[in-house]
Amino acid sequence: MSCLSKFKIGVVLAIVGVFSVATLLTAFLFIPKTPVDAFKSVDDSNAVVVGDIWNSSAKAFNGANFQTLLNYISSNGTISGVNTNEQTAQDIRGYTYGGKDPNKSVVVTIGNYKWQVVYLTRTNNTSGDRIATLLMTNNDGTSRYGGSSDSGSNYGPNDFTNGYPTSMYGLSYIRAYTLNNGGPYVEIPNNSSNPTDSNIVNINKSASHKYSLYTVESQGLTQYLVQPQDVWYQTEAQLTGSNNPTNYTLNNESLSTTINTGWSVSNTYQTKNYYTEWGDDYLWLPSISEAGARDSELGIWELSTTERSASSNWWPRSGFYLYSYHVAYLDSSGSGCINTRVNRTNGVRPALHLNLDKIVESISSNITALSNNDSYGTVLGGGSYLNGTTATLTATANSGYKFLGWDTNGDNTPDITANPHTFTVSGDATFTAIFEPPLVLIRTNDPNLGKIIVNGQVVDSAQLQQAQGTQITELIAFTTSGSAFLYWLDEATETMYTDNPLNYTVGSEDTTLTAVFSSALMDGIAVAAQNGGEARISGYDDDMTTVHLTAVAYAGYEFAGWYTYGDNQLISTSATCDLPLSTVDNKLLIAHFVPKNTPNSNPTLDNTGDQFSP
């Protein structure tokens, strides 16, 4: 039986005759057709409880605790995963992301109170900022609908003729004083039977009030709260159908001034001049259509009986006028909405709208993750994070490259070598992953014995960086005087190469490639070969006036001649020859090879792969 049905019963009783207050109250305390569990105190064991998300001293949100809240009300732990398609308390109980028990509601601590997340939507339903509607989990003290204080028994007689105004919540003492919203309220003086506009009292918000955190702008929290006048379902005309599951047509169900009062009254005070006074409040009482009356009429938020329950009766925003019965309250006996008179003392369970998007914006930092060269490697983990939460950055080198570390100050030098790198976010930051090709240091074992030619330049040493698998071509080693070239040594792999010139394939690690010279032979020349063969100093005559040279062709090639490096003068066309040392002293001789017209295996000259030392 709805509150409207009870109103009809009251009318019948009034028509039958004049009844005492006790008789009417008994008539209004009806027995529902089906059993309904009595309201009970909210038990934290039936909820996942999030720690305080607000830091009062810093006047800012705690990012880590707010992230925990997002884990419980989001499909992916981020603001983008918050489903704002009118998610009810019943829907939220079923969420499982972040390990949440699907049978538990979500309760969050803000200041000195705990609040249940009872609704998720947007300010105008389909767009706008995401909002979470929170309901205080338990009754907090007691209050009356009219009067000049929270205590005492004299708020006016129980049976004044026209009683409480039809705009009751907009001018209620609860709204202005108990919830610390300030503004006007109707004071019902002793022995008054006809409250009028002359009974309106204006008060200011108090910074020392127990609810000042939620209502006083200087506390900092209110800038993240959404006022009812900006929430779609609280601004609609009389809510009907799916938007009003309880189907009550009571005053103050919404802010719309077109809502039907449902009753005809004669007193001049019964106007709607102050009907929407609560539209800019930060803290407000729910309506019966929002909180629901019983399990058969869950309301917009779809609270369970336990979630609607409290240790004692509590005031909703809804109310109506009928003789001396002026407001509705939610009854701890489980009977649902009950009609009562103005002076009844009940608890308050206020609600508020929390702007999730604005909170995320206020406590988020941008973590920028870059690669020093996108062709060298990639990075993951950059994005927007809540301060106080952890971020993890991962660098992945492309094939042929290696990761050195993270540059955090823009000097292109690694400051952090951990990979992945996990840290606590405290502000905007940029991390650049430093990738490099392997480093090849090319040098001689002794620059007094020999030099090297790298990229056409004669040097003692050179440092090159190229990707793994690429080739460094035409590396040439040549002696200065009184020495001989022996081999190239790759120190990373401990491999020796006798090719000269050498085409070196870069490996996966940094290495040093050394041209090894020896002073054991007193020659002043060096030999090298083009592709297709090898060049060798095979010895000297006894008086060290003649040098013996040998050129060895690979399969498919034939020897074309000895030429001096630089001026490319032909010295000899014989693969094996003896040359005066005075002619070739301090020169680099190049053995040239050309492909054979009819390739064969060159069985007597094919020495491919030999390790040769003069």
Side-chain angles (χ1 to χ4, degrees):
M1 183 181 293
S2 71
C3 288
L4 286 182
S5 298
K6 288 175 281 182
F7 164 72
K8 294 174 183 177
I9 293 173
V11 172
V12 172
L13 291 174
I15 294 173
V16 172
V18 178
F19 291 79
S20 67
V21 170
T23 302
L24 283 173
L25 187 57
T26 301
F28 279 74
L29 291 173
F30 70 100
I31 305 299
K33 293 181 179 179
T34 56
V36 178
D37 292 340
F39 283 13
K40 305 172 184 177
S41 297
V42 173
D43 186 350
D44 283 351
S45 65
N46 293 325
V48 289
V49 181
V50 180
D52 200 339
I53 62 174
W54 177 256
N55 185 327
S56 294
S57 59
K59 294 183 178 180
F61 283 89
N62 179 304
N65 287 347
F66 188 77
Q67 178 62 62
T68 301
L69 174 62
L70 285 181
N71 288 344
Y72 293 150
I73 64 173
S74 169
S75 62
N76 59 10
T78 70
I79 187 67
S80 64
V82 175
N83 186 343
T84 54
N85 185 24
E86 303 175 38
Q87 297 293 286
T88 67
Q90 183 170 292
D91 296 325
I92 295 168
R93 284 195 299 271
Y95 289 175
T96 58
Y97 185 83
K100 178 189 167 298
D101 187 323
N103 298 312
K104 292 190 175 184
S105 57
V106 176
V107 170
V108 60
T109 308
I110 305 178
N112 295 324
Y113 297 94
K114 292 180 180 179
W115 306 78
Q116 181 187 345
V117 183
V118 295
Y119 204 58
L120 296 173
T121 185
R122 291 183 183 264
T123 49
N124 64 352
N125 193 18
T126 58
S127 62
D129 287 352
R130 299 169 180 85
I131 61 172
T133 302
L134 310 183
L135 173 66
M136 190 176 287
T137 56
N138 286 293
N139 282 351
D140 182 44
T142 60
S143 186
R144 302 170 188 266
Y145 253 88
S148 58
S149 70
D150 267 340
S151 61
S153 60
N154 292 323
Y155 283 80
N158 293 339
D159 57 355
F160 56 82
T161 304
N162 292 312
Y164 208 77
T166 56
S167 59
M168 52 190 61
Y169 183 66
L171 285 179
S172 70
Y173 182 68
I174 288 180
R175 187 201 67 78
Y177 182 85
T178 305
L179 301 184
N180 199 40
N181 287 301
Y185 74 93
V186 173
E187 184 177 56
I188 305 176
N190 290 337
N191 303 316
S192 171
S193 62
N194 187 17
T196 66
D197 289 352
S198 64
N199 300 124
I200 295 178
V201 177
N202 277 280
I203 60 172
N204 295 321
K205 299 176 183 179
S206 170
S208 60
H209 194 284
K210 63 181 179 180
Y211 292 150
S212 62
L213 171 62
Y214 315 100
T215 59
V216 177
E217 287 79 359
S218 61
Q219 300 283 1
L221 179 64
T222 60
Q223 64 178 307
Y224 303 102
L225 304 183
V226 181
Q227 298 166 320
Q229 63 192 5
D230 296 321
V231 178
W232 67 276
Y233 73 87
Q234 291 186 315
T235 59
E236 291 186 359
Q238 179 61 48
L239 298 174
T240 59
S242 62
N243 287 336
N244 184 2
T246 55
N247 293 313
Y248 293 125
T249 55
L250 302 177
N251 298 319
N252 282 99
E253 289 295 292
S254 74
L255 283 165
S256 173
T257 57
T258 62
I259 190 171
N260 184 12
T261 62
W263 303 277
S264 175
V265 292
S266 59
N267 188 274
T268 56
Y269 185 75
Q270 309 294 329
T271 67
K272 299 177 183 178
N273 293 342
Y274 300 91
Y275 187 84
T276 60
E277 195 70 27
W278 60 283
D280 60 358
D281 291 348
Y282 296 113
L283 209 58
W284 39 272
L285 293 186
S287 69
I288 292 177
S289 290
E290 289 167 330
R294 56 183 63 83
D295 286 349
S296 60
E297 296 171 333
L298 292 177
I300 295 172
W301 297 340
E302 296 186 347
L303 300 176
S304 68
T305 298
T306 301
E307 290 167 342
R308 283 196 308 274
S309 70
S311 57
S312 61
N313 305 335
W314 53 290
W315 292 112
R317 186 173 69 243
S318 308
F320 62 88
Y321 168 79
L322 170 62
Y323 294 95
S324 61
Y325 295 84
H326 313 293
V327 295
Y329 70 94
L330 292 171
D331 182 24
S332 61
S333 70
S335 298
C337 60
I338 303 298
N339 307 327
T340 186
R341 63 188 71 242
V342 168
N343 74 328
R344 187 178 180 91
T345 300
N346 290 315
V348 293
R349 290 182 67 186
L352 54 83
H353 295 301
L354 201 58
N355 190 320
L356 301 179
D357 280 299
K358 196 168 184 179
I359 294 173
V360 169
E361 181 181 354
S362 73
I363 59 175
S364 293
S365 293
N366 291 320
I367 301 302
T368 303
L370 305 172
S371 168
N372 66 325
N373 189 315
D374 291 340
S375 64
Y376 290 0
T378 57
V379 294
L380 295 175
S384 180
Y385 289 85
L386 300 182
N387 294 337
T389 61
T390 58
T392 298
L393 306 181
T394 304
T396 303
N398 292 339
S399 177
Y401 298 89
K402 61 181 180 176
F403 170 73
L404 299 184
W406 301 96
D407 170 26
T408 61
N409 56 18
D411 63 358
N412 206 39
T413 301
D415 306 303
I416 300 169
T417 58
N419 187 32
H421 172 48
T422 299
F423 59 98
T424 300
V425 177
S426 59
D428 292 348
T430 298
F431 295 82
T432 302
I434 305 299
F435 298 101
E436 286 187 352
L439 176 66
V440 180
L441 174 62
I442 306 170
R443 66 183 181 96
T444 71
N445 65 322
D446 187 340
N448 294 318
L449 299 179
K451 303 289 185 181
I452 55 177
I453 298 176
V454 181
N455 293 329
Q457 301 294 319
V458 178
V459 293
D460 293 334
S461 64
Q463 192 168 281
L464 300 180
Q465 285 183 298
Q466 293 188 25
Q468 177 186 358
T470 60
Q471 278 198 334
I472 303 174
T473 60
E474 294 293 314
L475 295 177
I476 299 174
F478 68 96
T479 59
T480 51
S481 62
S483 63
F485 170 70
L486 302 182
Y487 50 84
W488 298 94
L489 176 63
D490 183 346
E491 295 185 5
T493 61
E494 298 184 351
T495 302
M496 295 170 52
Y497 304 96
T498 58
D499 300 16
N500 195 24
L502 172 67
N503 294 329
Y504 175 75
T505 301
V506 178
S508 60
E509 302 294 331
D510 292 349
T511 190
T512 298
L513 185 63
T514 303
V516 179
F517 296 93
S518 172
S519 60
L521 296 175
M522 295 183 60
D523 64 333
I525 67 169
V527 294
Q530 287 184 325
N531 292 337
E534 297 180 14
R536 304 173 180 177
I537 300 175
S538 53
Y540 300 85
D541 61 4
D542 292 340
D543 59 5
M544 299 296 293
T545 59
T546 302
V547 60
H548 309 300
L549 303 179
T550 301
V552 180
Y554 292 156
Y557 291 87
E558 59 185 358
F559 177 71
W562 294 98
Y563 292 83
T564 55
Y565 179 80
D567 56 13
N568 203 33
Q569 290 185 359
L570 178 63
I571 300 299
S572 174
T573 58
S574 298
T576 301
C577 63
D578 299 329
L579 298 176
L581 188 59
S582 60
T583 303
V584 296
D585 190 23
N586 293 318
K587 295 183 184 298
L588 172 62
L589 300 184
I590 306 295
H592 284 221
F593 300 91
V594 294
K596 292 176 63 67
N597 291 331
T598 304
N600 58 51
S601 61
N602 290 340
T604 60
L605 298 179
D606 187 359
N607 292 294
T608 304
D610 283 357
Q611 298 293 317
F612 173 74
S613 297

